[in-house]
Amino acid sequence: MERYVNKNQKQLRMGITTGTCSAAAAKAAASKLLLGVQKDSIRIDTPKKIAVEVAVELVEESAKKVSCMVVKDSGDDPDVTNRAQIVVSVEKLTGKEQKETLEEKAPEGGQYAADGIVSRYAFQSPEFPWLYLDGGVGVGRVTKKGLEQGVGQAAINTVPRQMIFAAVGEICELAEYREPLLILVSVPKGEELAERTFNPRLGIVGGISILGTSGILEPMSEKAIVDTIEAQIRQLAATGETNLCVTPGNYGQEYASGYLHLDLGRSVKSSNYIGETLDLAVSYGMKNFLLVGNVGKLVKLAAGIMNTHSKTADGRCEIFAVHTVLCGGDRRMAQRIMACINTEEMLELLDGWGLKDAVMESICQKIGENLQRRGGKSIRCSAVLFSEKYGYLGQTPGTDALLREFELTKAD
């Protein structure tokens, strides 16, 4: 796909989503099955209003079923599903077989749908009610509440479902075909790929999700990350959870588990999007928000910087320098802090001057104020900061009380 977007002063090539791949493969399979027309490429009009021409390959054909494959092109996005094979079959369900297959049967083993079986978990098209859609091998199946799909259904999101139904429906209109069809989406290596995604944490087992709200994959999409965070929070809220533990990444999770004994099953990773994560926590009715992370990232919150990516803002030296002065330091100390290259070096200087604890208390106070200002009155916010060298560094006021809400105790 030769379309580009400018990101971070670079021109990056856009790709297509697994939803677009599935729609293209489904349309190609339907075209061969119902019209007898085999195509090497298929045009798909994406929700982003960008038309794409997608290469397709015929995998299998018979009088009643055709399967086609699309190899996913993620463009310049570092996506784990890049070059994944998306295989979609379209199968006629007729006569005696139709009566048998339309019974409410669970997918074999509860993992994926089999050929010729329309289970009670299959999606049905509102516009083309004779079309049924399900996930085959390598497409994840939902096991927990709170996602777009019900428990037991294939992890095929709403927009991709609409795209797939519309693509096959278009061919049905051309062929004047109104008999039941089963559309089955499979990803041969989907289960292996899913281990590198958030699916296991979301309770999606057996494979990847078929995703895409725009049909177009933009490189390094911030929206995709925030959407994943939202899915996790929405799922926790659906179980009645009102306490949310947030860590920016793996270091935070290790510390939260090892030092605070937090249940990571109730946690989400915010990456750099702490402000957006807090906003989502409020939107989904969370009452307590506990943030645990390394001082190098969380110190930025003391200046109200809620997106902690270095490309958005830094300010670490300035924050430490100001709070050093506020806690009794002088201009020379502030200058030394400003010359540091990382927070561990700053902490070492402060420790040598006997100011580390006071400065961290001052910084934590400000972090608490800024988090609470962003969260508003409906949620209680706290944060715990640590570093690799010094371990526990401090926490915002009220954290001990909030930890009791989590039924946690801090290690000595």
Side-chain angles (χ1 to χ4, degrees):
M1 176 177 169
E2 300 304 317
R3 285 183 177 270
Y4 295 84
V5 62
N6 292 317
K7 288 281 184 77
N8 303 321
Q9 301 180 8
K10 293 181 180 179
Q11 191 177 58
L12 301 175
R13 188 170 64 87
M14 294 189 289
I16 56 176
T17 64
T18 47
T20 297
C21 294
S22 300
K27 188 174 182 180
S31 177
K32 178 63 175 175
L33 180 67
L34 303 181
L35 298 174
V37 177
Q38 181 175 336
K39 296 190 175 184
D40 296 326
S41 66
I42 288 288
R43 176 190 169 97
I44 293 291
D45 294 319
T46 64
K48 197 177 179 68
K49 307 302 181 185
I50 295 176
V52 295
E53 194 76 18
V54 181
V56 294
E57 179 181 336
L58 180 65
V59 175
E60 177 188 359
E61 66 171 314
S62 68
K64 55 179 293 189
K65 187 176 83 168
V66 172
S67 299
C68 289
M69 179 183 71
V70 168
V71 177
K72 183 172 183 287
D73 178 6
S74 298
D76 287 327
D77 188 79
D79 185 85
V80 300
T81 59
N82 187 40
R83 308 305 298 169
Q85 296 178 345
I86 312 296
V87 179
V88 182
S89 65
V90 178
E91 181 178 5
K92 293 179 179 179
L93 302 173
T94 57
K96 182 174 182 293
E97 180 186 37
Q98 174 188 326
K99 182 178 179 181
E100 293 173 350
T101 57
L102 293 181
E103 292 177 358
E104 291 194 346
K105 296 181 180 180
E108 184 179 356
Q111 296 300 308
Y112 55 86
D115 289 348
I117 294 179
V118 177
S119 79
R120 59 191 173 98
Y121 300 119
F123 302 103
Q124 189 171 8
S125 170
E127 186 176 358
F128 307 99
W130 60 90
L131 298 183
Y132 297 86
L133 170 65
D134 211 340
V137 175
V139 173
R141 199 157 289 274
V142 174
T143 65
K144 295 181 180 180
K145 295 180 180 179
L147 298 178
E148 289 188 7
Q149 309 82 7
V151 172
Q153 290 186 313
I156 305 174
N157 278 11
T158 302
V159 173
R161 293 200 301 267
Q162 294 169 345
M163 293 176 67
I164 294 167
F165 281 136
V168 176
E170 179 183 336
I171 301 300
C172 288
E173 293 291 332
L174 291 173
E176 297 183 352
Y177 191 87
R178 300 291 186 276
E179 299 296 326
L181 292 174
L182 172 61
I183 308 164
L184 199 63
V185 181
S186 302
V187 183
K189 294 186 177 180
E191 190 165 4
E192 177 184 336
L193 292 172
E195 295 176 0
R196 298 162 56 195
T197 71
F198 280 93
N199 276 12
R201 287 181 60 83
L202 295 172
I204 299 173
V205 301
I208 66 168
S209 298
I210 304 301
L211 304 172
T213 55
S214 68
I216 300 298
L217 187 61
E218 292 192 17
M220 294 176 283
S221 170
E222 294 182 2
K223 185 179 185 302
I225 298 173
V226 175
D227 284 350
T228 300
I229 296 169
E230 180 177 9
Q232 294 179 78
I233 295 175
R234 181 174 62 240
Q235 188 175 74
L236 287 170
T239 67
E241 184 63 71
T242 59
N243 297 329
L244 184 65
C245 174
V246 176
T247 62
N250 291 331
Y251 283 144
Q253 284 212 323
E254 290 171 8
Y255 189 81
S257 175
Y259 183 82
L260 295 174
H261 310 301
L262 289 172
D263 177 6
L264 297 184
R266 298 188 298 175
S267 70
V268 301
K269 291 181 184 178
S270 65
S271 184
N272 293 297
Y273 307 101
I274 295 171
E276 287 91 341
T277 303
L278 179 50
D279 293 342
L280 289 167
V282 173
S283 297
Y284 284 96
M286 295 294 164
K287 300 301 181 185
N288 297 303
F289 180 94
L290 177 63
L291 177 64
V292 182
N294 188 287
V295 63
K297 190 173 291 287
L298 299 195
V299 68
K300 299 178 184 182
L301 302 176
I305 300 168
M306 294 288 170
N307 182 328
T308 58
H309 199 292
S310 59
K311 292 175 181 176
T312 299
D314 194 343
R316 292 171 298 172
C317 292
E318 292 83 356
I319 294 165
F320 266 102
V322 166
H323 286 272
T324 296
V325 173
L326 291 174
C327 293
D330 56 25
R331 179 174 178 172
R332 179 188 61 85
M333 291 177 177
Q335 288 174 329
R336 291 282 302 278
I337 292 290
M338 289 296 295
C340 291
I341 61 173
N342 57 48
T343 52
E344 293 288 0
E345 188 179 351
M346 300 175 207
L347 290 167
E348 187 173 343
L349 286 176
L350 291 169
D351 196 26
W353 298 329
L355 291 174
K356 178 171 69 70
D357 291 345
V359 169
M360 285 310 308
E361 182 179 356
S362 180
I363 287 174
C364 285
Q365 174 75 36
K366 200 64 181 176
I367 290 173
E369 292 174 8
N370 289 333
L371 282 174
Q372 199 59 61
R373 183 180 298 112
R374 178 72 174 249
K377 296 180 180 180
S378 65
I379 194 168
R380 182 167 51 164
C381 303
S382 288
V384 177
L385 281 69
F386 67 91
S387 81
E388 293 182 51
K389 179 178 179 180
Y390 290 95
Y392 173 81
L393 289 173
Q395 61 191 42
T396 59
T399 297
D400 283 336
L402 188 142
L403 285 170
R404 285 193 290 271
E405 291 290 336
F406 280 75
E407 297 181 347
L408 304 169
T409 54
K410 193 166 57 177
D412 293 333

